[in-house]
Amino acid sequence: MDLETGGFHNQAKKGSWKTILTLAFQSLGVVYGDLSTSPLYVYKSTFAEDISHSETNEEIYGVLSFVFWTLTLVPLLKYVFIVLHANDNGEGGTFALYSLLCRHARVSSLPNCQVADEELSEYKKDNNTQKNSSIGSRLKSMLERHRVLQRLLLILALIGTCMVIGDGVLTPAISVFSAVSGLELSMSKEHHKYVEVPIACIILIGLFSLQHYGTHRVGFLFAPIVMTWLLCISTIGVYNIFKWNRHVYRALSPYYMYEFLRKTQSEGWKSLGGILLCITGSEAMFADLGHFSQLSIKIAFTSIVYPALVLAYMGQAAYLSQHHFSENGSQIGFYVSVPENIRWPVLIIAVLAAIVGSQAIITGTFSIIKQCSALGCFPRVKIVHTSSKFHGQIYIPEINWILMILCLAVTIGFRDTKRLGNASGLAVITVMLVTTCLMSLVIVLCWNRSVFFAIAFVVFFGAIEALYFSASLIKFLEGAWVPVALSFIFLIIMYTWHYGTIKKYEFEIHNKVSLNWLLSLGPSLGIVRVRGIGIIQTELVSGIPAIFSHFVTNVPAFHQVLVFLCIKSVPVPHVKPEERFLVGQIGPKEYRLYRCIVRYGYRDIHKDDVEFENDLICSIAEFIRENSTTNSLSNEFIEKEDEKMTVVGTRSTAKAGGIQIREDNEEQECTVGTSNHREITSPSPPAIPRKKKVRFVLPESPKIDTSMRAELAELMEAKETGIAYILGNTYMRANPGSGITKRIAIDYGYEFLRRNSRGATYDLNVPRASTLEVGMIYHV
């Protein structure tokens, strides 16, 4: 798969049935690993303390009824039939819903949005011609007018994201720990308690240590492992049903839920925190939608996962209905219902399935942190793409080791599935509640449906999830505090970074240099123009950044070609390569000042320095050609107060006969043109040695005027000399007289995160020898 066109990697999403069924099978290993291992710990967590197993079996039947209807209403009805349709151009997850709302309500966490961004093909709203209802219009205008509501919406999305990160800590712990708990039936209790935790920790350390290799080498095994596991638990379930209790299907009636709560009362309500674990991993159906298609995920769940899980839970209930244990739930679990002669093979398959499920949630955590970072809500981190063929397989070293340390800490600290289940359950249900709240806004603002439909959605699913949420929250002191603490820490980090980023951009907007000042300097800018290209990186999409005036005031020399480069993210998952660059000219042509805005979606892959530089030079050359051959640019430009911005594609979107750039014997195309070419070379005095020879190959027609030829020749000469990056190394301080909260957030919180995060050009892999940092202090 081409990484540049990674956003459009899902061409197979609309393919043949063979392709769809292949995607459905592959989704088992990526999407359903966590959900499929839930039978390992649901019954054990439910009967851990709050309720006991009586001779009448009312508790077992009641739990089975709750499990069945929870699986039916939440994953099947809510996610498969409703939420999957609320995707953002094929992408799912909490931030996809937030991004969707930002575009429809003109609310964004990104400060440097432009009108030009709304012309992106993926930015455009759905083809729904229905107008918003009066209530929907009022809700939309309220969101656009009130900054408080915008902050609340952002905080809601961040809470869901933080809980997903917390789930990335807890899911591997409970999955692996529950899988190895089958050892307790093969050894004494004294030996078991000293063996189970170390084995689980060794597996977890190995899992996290191998993350940097990526999953593309062993990923083909994930789906067969999960498929084998699902066939295993469903076969054991059918065996137990026919051997122990053929009438267990009667417990699927909702009547048994009523009888369960009537008999157990408050203790039964508390035990719902264990039942909740049967839908752990359901959110992955939506979060991992970008790798598959709606239809493939629906087919996999309805035809394989859902029936297998129902049979597995029915089989456990059938076995337990004929076996009563004296100890309070200590022997109630998955492995006790497995026939003894196949217990060891099942244990091995369970461990493998737990590893696959853990891998999926770890990869999902990496993905959502990358999205947050792209949308300005998380410090910049090192992102390693572990596969050149499969889009979305990434590795973040810092986050990986933090997750491993936290995962080992909760495993060693809790040492049982009861408290791990309490912690995991609260994280899972909180994410689902956030999705329900955001979905209600999507129904009104994006789908333009009646507000009563949104209210019905919130009331129905919100009531179910609120019931489970309350049962999980009551276990706060028994393990549920862990996701709350983790989420609070990550929320503080994310909101502090976002707040500091906004304040920094506001300072740059208020202190940008006026164009009149720049024009008053003349074509030489009042300084010595040395050979080469100077790229000044800035967050501004218009105006001259303050670091430029700060630099020329102290060092009166600059490059012959200046490019003000803004690399920004837009609230869409992907930006097509042909829409990547916005190029404009600042001032008259003889100034040789250009602005280039490079737009990436929150799931796009940033290119390396060499490829990016060539794309950048090609885009400027194409802008020069297009601006020269037409009196007025096409409709693909945006008028600014001082410049025109033209949409230019990358070299990967080139057509035959376009402008070409050649370095030595390597040929690289730019965009558009005709079939006949002629070369323009830069003047190269023999006294100056060159490492590379750069040439543009231009179309013969239309005619090339003298000014265009001179401008391109100077651009080539500058490219041959080299490219230097001028970066702003800014320090932020709160203004004197600011409140203590702002001073703590800016002077200590944001500055600590900035010093310990990656630089703005890290994604480009710019060589340190080619960079020059300009230090400034921002008083915000």
Side-chain angles (χ1 to χ4, degrees):
M1 182 197 65
D2 181 10
L3 293 183
E4 171 65 18
T5 57
F8 315 98
H9 61 296
N10 289 334
Q11 298 174 357
K13 285 186 175 184
K14 298 180 180 179
S16 63
W17 275 104
K18 180 181 177 181
T19 303
I20 292 171
L21 293 177
T22 301
L23 286 174
F25 177 71
Q26 292 172 348
S27 70
L28 293 176
V30 177
V31 177
Y32 297 109
D34 186 14
L35 182 61
S36 64
T37 55
S38 58
L40 288 170
Y41 43 79
V42 168
Y43 280 103
K44 189 168 186 177
S45 299
T46 304
F47 287 92
E49 184 178 80
D50 299 308
I51 56 176
S52 58
H53 183 193
S54 65
E55 294 291 335
T56 60
N57 289 323
E58 289 178 323
E59 295 83 5
I60 286 292
Y61 294 154
V63 170
L64 175 59
S65 185
F66 264 105
V67 167
F68 172 76
W69 286 105
T70 304
L71 277 172
T72 302
L73 294 177
V74 179
L76 184 61
L77 181 59
K78 176 187 171 183
Y79 281 95
V80 170
F81 290 107
I82 301 177
V83 175
L84 285 182
H85 295 280
N87 61 84
D88 183 11
N89 292 289
E91 299 292 337
T94 303
F95 255 86
L97 289 177
Y98 177 71
S99 173
L100 204 60
L101 290 169
C102 285
R103 299 205 303 273
H104 282 77
R106 295 183 181 273
V107 176
S108 179
S109 62
L110 299 168
N112 54 359
C113 291
Q114 299 171 274
V115 176
D117 299 337
E118 298 183 14
E119 298 301 318
L120 292 170
S121 56
E122 290 209 7
Y123 198 102
K124 293 176 182 177
K125 299 165 187 174
D126 300 331
N127 295 325
N128 192 344
T129 56
Q130 266 185 296
K131 293 184 178 180
N132 286 98
S133 63
S134 58
I135 298 178
S137 299
R138 286 199 295 269
L139 179 61
K140 179 175 179 289
S141 61
M142 282 176 59
L143 276 173
E144 293 173 350
R145 287 199 318 267
H146 296 90
R147 296 291 297 273
V148 174
L149 294 179
Q150 296 175 20
R151 291 194 190 100
L152 289 176
L153 183 63
L154 175 62
I155 290 173
L156 183 64
L158 291 181
I159 289 173
T161 302
C162 292
M163 283 294 181
V164 170
I165 298 173
D167 197 25
V169 172
L170 297 166
T171 292
I174 190 172
S175 297
V176 173
F177 192 87
S178 299
V180 301
S181 66
L183 295 172
E184 66 183 344
L185 300 178
S186 303
M187 59 182 66
S188 64
K189 190 174 182 180
E190 290 74 16
H191 290 90
H192 168 257
K193 65 180 181 181
Y194 295 113
V195 172
E196 189 177 50
V197 174
I199 291 178
C201 290
I202 290 171
I203 294 174
L204 290 171
I205 292 172
L207 176 65
F208 284 100
S209 299
L210 296 175
Q211 289 298 312
H212 68 282
Y213 291 109
T215 60
H216 58 282
R217 293 183 179 89
V218 294
F220 69 95
L221 294 174
F222 286 179
I225 288 173
V226 176
M227 185 69 177
T228 303
W229 168 251
L230 290 171
L231 290 175
C232 178
I233 60 175
S234 58
T235 303
I236 293 173
V238 172
Y239 169 81
N240 285 329
I241 291 170
F242 280 95
K243 182 172 183 179
W244 301 109
N245 189 347
R246 299 189 179 190
H247 302 290
V248 71
Y249 67 89
R250 296 174 180 172
L252 302 182
S253 168
Y255 169 77
Y256 286 90
M257 291 193 291
Y258 166 75
E259 285 295 316
F260 172 79
L261 292 176
R262 185 185 62 81
K263 180 178 180 180
T264 57
Q265 298 183 356
S266 63
E267 297 303 316
W269 165 62
K270 292 179 183 179
S271 70
L272 294 179
I275 298 173
L276 161 67
L277 297 177
C278 72
I279 53 175
T280 300
S282 298
E283 186 74 21
M285 284 192 288
F286 185 47
D288 294 327
L289 180 61
H291 300 293
F292 303 97
S293 65
Q294 289 186 41
L295 186 57
S296 62
I297 288 179
K298 289 178 179 179
I299 289 174
F301 183 78
T302 55
S303 62
I304 301 174
V305 180
Y306 179 74
L309 290 176
V310 171
L311 289 173
Y313 287 117
M314 289 177 65
Q316 287 187 62
Y319 178 88
L320 295 173
S321 66
Q322 302 299 319
H323 297 79
H324 299 80
F325 303 97
S326 57
E327 298 181 28
N328 186 26
S330 61
Q331 294 294 318
I332 296 180
F334 171 76
Y335 288 104
V336 73
S337 64
V338 178
E340 189 173 354
N341 56 343
I342 62 169
R343 204 165 276 167
W344 277 102
V346 171
L347 174 64
I348 294 172
I349 298 172
V351 171
L352 292 175
I355 291 173
V356 171
S358 301
Q359 175 62 52
I361 192 67
I362 293 168
T363 304
T365 304
F366 292 158
S367 179
I368 200 166
I369 287 176
K370 179 183 180 293
Q371 293 180 30
C372 293
S373 181
L375 294 175
C377 295
F378 200 88
R380 288 182 289 268
V381 290
K382 180 180 181 180
I383 297 175
V384 179
H385 295 275
T386 58
S387 174
S388 60
K389 296 181 179 179
F390 300 100
H391 179 77
Q393 291 191 5
I394 60 174
Y395 166 68
I396 304 177
E398 300 96 324
I399 301 301
N400 181 67
W401 302 123
I402 290 173
L403 289 179
M404 187 188 78
I405 292 170
L406 293 174
C407 192
L408 292 174
V410 297
T411 302
I412 297 170
F414 287 155
R415 296 190 299 276
D416 64 64
T417 54
K418 172 194 166 186
R419 287 179 291 178
L420 283 172
N422 294 338
S424 180
L426 184 61
V428 168
I429 200 63
T430 304
V431 176
M432 291 183 176
L433 274 171
V434 169
T435 300
T436 299
C437 295
L438 294 177
M439 266 300 303
S440 64
L441 294 175
V442 169
I443 290 170
V444 176
L445 299 179
C446 305
W447 291 356
N448 300 327
R449 301 295 295 272
S450 169
V451 70
F452 298 106
F453 185 77
I455 292 173
F457 179 86
V458 169
V459 169
F460 182 74
F461 292 108
I464 296 171
E465 292 160 359
L467 178 66
Y468 283 116
F469 180 79
S470 62
S472 298
L473 199 60
I474 204 70
K475 304 289 184 65
F476 184 83
L477 297 178
E478 301 171 38
W481 60 269
V482 171
V484 175
L486 291 176
S487 299
F488 180 76
I489 293 170
F490 278 104
L491 182 63
I492 293 296
I493 292 172
M494 294 167 79
Y495 196 79
T496 300
W497 181 261
H498 176 70
Y499 177 76
T501 302
I502 295 294
K503 290 298 178 185
K504 178 183 175 182
Y505 187 79
E506 289 175 353
F507 179 90
E508 292 179 343
I509 285 289
H510 295 145
N511 292 274
K512 65 182 179 181
V513 180
S514 68
L515 183 63
N516 292 331
W517 172 83
L518 186 68
L519 296 177
S520 66
L521 299 177
S524 67
L525 301 181
I527 56 179
V528 178
R529 300 294 290 270
V530 299
R531 297 169 62 115
I533 298 177
I535 296 180
I536 304 131
Q537 185 156 9
T538 175
E539 299 294 324
L540 296 178
V541 293
S542 64
I544 310 301
I547 62 167
F548 177 73
S549 62
H550 184 69
F551 182 85
V552 298
T553 302
N554 293 276
V555 183
F558 225 92
H559 299 83
Q560 67 188 105
V561 176
L562 296 181
V563 181
F564 293 95
L565 175 67
C566 174
I567 300 175
K568 70 170 192 174
S569 295
V570 290
V572 295
H574 305 283
V575 175
K576 290 183 177 180
E578 56 266 28
E579 300 173 328
R580 177 81 68 214
F581 290 91
L582 274 176
V583 185
Q585 195 153 31
I586 302 176
K589 287 185 178 181
E590 58 268 20
Y591 282 62
R592 302 296 189 253
L593 298 179
Y594 306 96
R595 182 183 310 283
C596 186
I597 299 172
V598 189
R599 301 177 292 185
Y600 287 97
Y602 56 77
R603 296 206 45 140
D604 276 331
I605 296 172
H606 292 213
K607 289 187 168 185
D608 59 36
D609 57 329
V610 176
E611 195 172 0
F612 176 80
E613 286 177 2
N614 288 330
D615 275 349
L616 180 63
I617 300 304
C618 271
S619 67
I620 295 173
E622 177 58 30
F623 168 78
I624 293 171
R625 187 195 70 83
E626 199 168 309
N627 199 26
S628 174
T629 56
T630 56
N631 294 325
S632 60
L633 293 174
S634 63
N635 57 358
E636 292 186 295
F637 73 83
I638 309 300
E639 277 287 347
K640 289 294 192 183
E641 59 184 10
D642 60 332
E643 62 200 90
K644 295 176 181 179
M645 305 297 290
T646 303
V647 177
V648 181
T650 63
R651 290 177 299 115
S652 65
T653 62
K655 298 179 181 178
I659 293 181
Q660 301 168 1
I661 179 173
R662 291 181 181 175
E663 295 182 359
D664 297 330
N665 296 323
E666 182 182 359
E667 181 178 301
Q668 296 161 333
E669 291 192 2
C670 196
T671 50
V672 300
T674 57
S675 57
N676 297 319
H677 297 82
R678 57 175 149 176
E679 294 184 1
I680 290 183
T681 59
S682 60
S684 48
I688 302 175
R690 295 272 166 73
K691 293 183 179 179
K692 290 183 179 180
K693 185 67 177 178
V694 178
R695 295 177 296 168
F696 280 131
V697 181
L698 295 154
E700 188 70 33
S701 176
K703 298 298 181 182
I704 304 170
D705 59 30
T706 306
S707 63
M708 172 186 169
R709 181 182 294 277
E711 196 171 356
L712 287 173
E714 190 167 352
L715 180 63
M716 283 185 291
E717 180 187 1
K719 175 70 169 65
E720 286 178 354
T721 305
I723 298 177
Y725 290 81
I726 293 85
L727 315 176
N729 189 1
T730 56
Y731 299 84
M732 288 178 58
R733 294 288 183 272
N735 280 321
S738 300
I740 187 171
T741 304
K742 183 177 180 179
R743 291 203 303 272
I744 292 173
I746 297 296
D747 295 351
Y748 300 100
Y750 180 81
E751 275 302 300
F752 174 80
L753 294 173
R754 185 193 63 81
R755 287 195 303 269
N756 291 278
S757 63
R758 303 284 172 170
T761 58
Y762 175 78
D763 287 332
L764 298 178
N765 298 315
V766 178
R768 295 185 65 86
S770 302
T771 61
L772 179 64
E773 294 188 353
V774 180
M776 286 190 69
I777 297 178
Y778 288 2
H779 291 280
V780 298

